[in-house]
Amino acid sequence: MGAPQVSSTERAAAGTADYLDQRTGVASAVKGFARKIFPDHWSFLLGEIALYSFVVLLISGVFLTMFFVPSMGLMEYEGPIASMNGQLMSEAFASTLDLSFEVPGGLLMRQIHHWSALLFMAAIVTHMMRVFFTGAFRKPRELNWMVGFILMILGLAAGFTGYSLPDDVLSGNGLRITDGVVKSIPLVGSYMSYMIFGGEFPGEHIIPRLFTLHILVVPALILALIGLHLLFVVLHKHTQYPGGGRTDKNVVGFPLFPVYVAKAGGFFFIVFGVLALMGGTMAINNVWNYGPYDPSPVSAGAQPDWYMLFLEGSLRLMPGQTEFVIAGYTLSLNVLIPAVVVPGLLFTFLAVYPFLEAAVTKDKREHHVLDRPRNVPVRTGLGVAFLAEFILLALAGSNDLIATHFDLSLNAITWVFRVGFFVLPVIAFWVTKRICLGLQRKDRELVLHGHETGRIVRFANGEYIEVHKPISDEERWLRVNYDAHRPLEIEPREDSRGVRRKGFRKDQALQALSRFFYEDRVEPVTPAELAAAHSHGDHDSLGSAEDSESALAIAGAPRDAAPAPDQQSDDHGHMS
């Protein structure tokens, strides 16, 4: 047989690859990366959705940049919207109208861009929720958690700067609120506002400055951090859910090439297609309905995009009486607390939590297998409490719409939300923690006694029992292989010589915090407990189907009461 024929295309590709390899040594890196193993679970796609949404944002943003005019210079509009002909507006708003009605495909690209921004933030938030509840932030991924946290903040910045560019009434009101928030900062607020707006609000420079941030600074930072985020994923190897054969020393899954390359490529086009469908069929941010920005009108029923709605809600809930004049200086706590302090506390909690949990556990090991949320009830409770607070504030940002749609009192709704701001997170934490502890106790019951079958058996002595079906080895391993951390034990206040020990107060605070985290816990089943639960004396005669039939025959019980042949007895619940 002759040598196989090599086409000119294959020859050119091989030559190019050899050329690059000799000059860069890229072959070994590509080979190692292509063999990288990734676990297979749907929740890992949340991060990919964020990445692909950002790619769509870049593609559509390049198109929009070619036609948008970032200028606050005033002009008289003449165009296809007859109702606005003759109106004075900024060039930014006029170019947005031109994009929507005169540029072919402009409105479609605007709407794809906006929906992509909303999906980008939604994917980041849900991805962070998955990481938080499963403990994927533990060592060695604390820095990667911080990278993801900063990406979320940059996503908020990108959304806000882009949302403000059209210079319509809605986005102008958002900038007016921003100006008020900046000015509420004590001592430096007025100077910061002057610097941001280039003078008194609204000035003439804010739109060009936001445009530079939106298309250059923020996207560059996001791209850099996405690269760093993915680099950490490769260096640390991917986390995986607990299951058979999965440990902190391996990864069970499929190689990057060709499996995940094909999956990722297909999934990108799915995300792109869904966004294109949304952009083509679902109208969003129709600025011509609002009109060009004018500081005098404020439209009712106006809300920002969903990811900024919590800030709007926080401002609406704060009583206006908390504004004080001290020595001629106005201290606007009615703006400072809801717009600076409350978001600051929420975001600080997210940023420092991995380090806080590491401090109260003193756990220095690397973790690559994820937690089941039920096995860390306090962490899960805190996460649910955070989400409950966020959702409540988002709903409060729509309190006027809730009042009009459901014919309710706006003041009553506001007071319900004010009380809920303090009460709801506590209730959410307590209920979630109790549910997690209950699920853990249910897991113990399954490990020790197996699944209930509803099959009743009577012995010769008249005793009735229910035959339980034992769980599989994998089910058992899943329910016993977790760490039940205990509260920290610290050294005494004074050493053997009666001298007060340095650092005692810090240790005491960490001990109190660790008690909050781990005082209420359910220990996993030990081998001794499992062995004791599997020893039942005379009941062990039901260990197999044949033994069950013999026992039933001896007891005079009907044969159809015996366990099915494929079932094995493990533990039996006595019935009186």
Side-chain angles (χ1 to χ4, degrees), residues 426-498:
V426 177
I427 295 175
F429 170 80
W430 184 82
V431 171
T432 303
K433 180 181 176 182
R434 303 319 302 176
I435 290 175
C436 289
L437 292 172
L439 290 173
Q440 284 183 277
R441 293 188 182 99
K442 178 62 177 177
D443 283 346
R444 281 185 61 90
E445 286 291 315
L446 284 174
V447 171
L448 293 174
H449 308 303
H451 297 285
E452 296 181 0
T453 63
R455 191 175 296 276
I456 307 300
V457 177
R458 181 172 66 86
F459 278 86
N461 60 4
E463 178 186 13
Y464 285 90
I465 63 171
E466 179 188 2
V467 179
H468 284 211
K469 178 183 178 181
I471 63 176
S472 66
D473 291 340
E474 185 169 349
E475 285 183 293
R476 183 180 296 113
W477 185 91
L478 184 66
R479 288 165 172 80
V480 301
N481 191 45
Y482 68 91
D483 295 319
H485 294 286
R486 294 175 173 82
L488 293 178
E489 296 182 4
I490 60 175
E491 297 178 7
R493 181 193 301 265
E494 299 174 350
D495 59 20
S496 57
R497 297 173 296 175

Side-chain angles (χ1 to χ4, degrees), residues 20 90 242 262 294 326 386 419 443:
L20 291 174
S90 67
D294 182 346
I326 303 174
F386 179 92
V419 174
D443 283 346

Side-chain angles (χ1 to χ4, degrees), residues 349 352-362 378-379 382 429 433 485-490 505-520:
F349 166 79
V352 306
Y353 183 84
F355 307 96
L356 190 65
E357 187 174 295
V360 298
T361 59
K362 299 293 184 182
V378 171
R379 180 207 296 160
L382 289 173
F429 170 80
K433 180 181 176 182
H485 294 286
R486 294 175 173 82
L488 293 178
E489 296 182 4
I490 60 175
R505 288 188 179 275
K506 178 183 176 182
D507 290 348
Q508 196 175 33
L510 284 177
Q511 185 184 48
L513 192 59
S514 70
R515 284 175 181 161
F516 166 73
F517 271 86
Y518 302 116
E519 194 163 31
D520 293 332

Side-chain angles (χ1 to χ4, degrees), residues 11-70:
R11 194 178 300 110
T16 303
D18 183 64
Y19 179 89
L20 291 174
D21 183 40
Q22 291 186 26
R23 287 156 180 80
T24 63
V26 72
S28 57
V30 171
K31 183 178 180 181
F33 188 65
R35 292 179 176 177
K36 193 75 176 175
I37 302 298
F38 288 89
D40 195 18
H41 194 272
W42 67 266
S43 66
F44 298 144
L45 298 178
L46 295 170
E48 292 188 35
I49 293 175
L51 175 62
Y52 301 151
S53 301
F54 184 69
V55 172
V56 177
L57 278 169
L58 293 179
I59 295 171
S60 56
V62 169
F63 178 91
L64 298 177
T65 304
M66 296 178 181
F67 301 98
F68 181 74
V69 180

Side-chain angles (χ1 to χ4, degrees), residues 231-301:
L231 177 63
F232 277 140
V233 170
V234 173
L235 290 178
H236 297 151
K237 71 186 179 182
H238 207 294
T239 55
Q240 56 188 340
Y241 283 93
R246 297 168 186 175
T247 69
D248 286 328
K249 297 181 180 180
N250 69 358
V251 179
V252 179
F254 300 97
L256 178 69
F257 185 85
V259 178
Y260 275 102
V261 169
K263 283 188 175 183
F267 193 50
F268 167 74
F269 288 108
I270 290 174
V271 173
F272 203 156
V274 169
L275 289 171
L277 181 64
M278 294 174 68
T281 60
M282 303 167 67
I284 188 170
N285 199 26
N286 298 330
V287 295
W288 53 89
N289 290 334
Y290 313 135
Y293 179 61
D294 182 346
S296 56
V298 177
S299 58

Side-chain angles (χ1 to χ4, degrees), residues 93 160-178 201 207 210 285 287 290-293 299 302-304:
F93 186 80
F160 174 75
T161 54
Y163 178 82
S164 304
L165 289 180
D167 199 30
D168 60 294
V169 168
L170 197 59
S171 63
N173 287 335
L175 284 174
R176 174 82 268 187
I177 293 173
T178 303
F201 177 87
I207 296 299
L210 290 176
N285 199 26
V287 295
Y290 313 135
Y293 179 61
S299 58
Q303 279 84 32

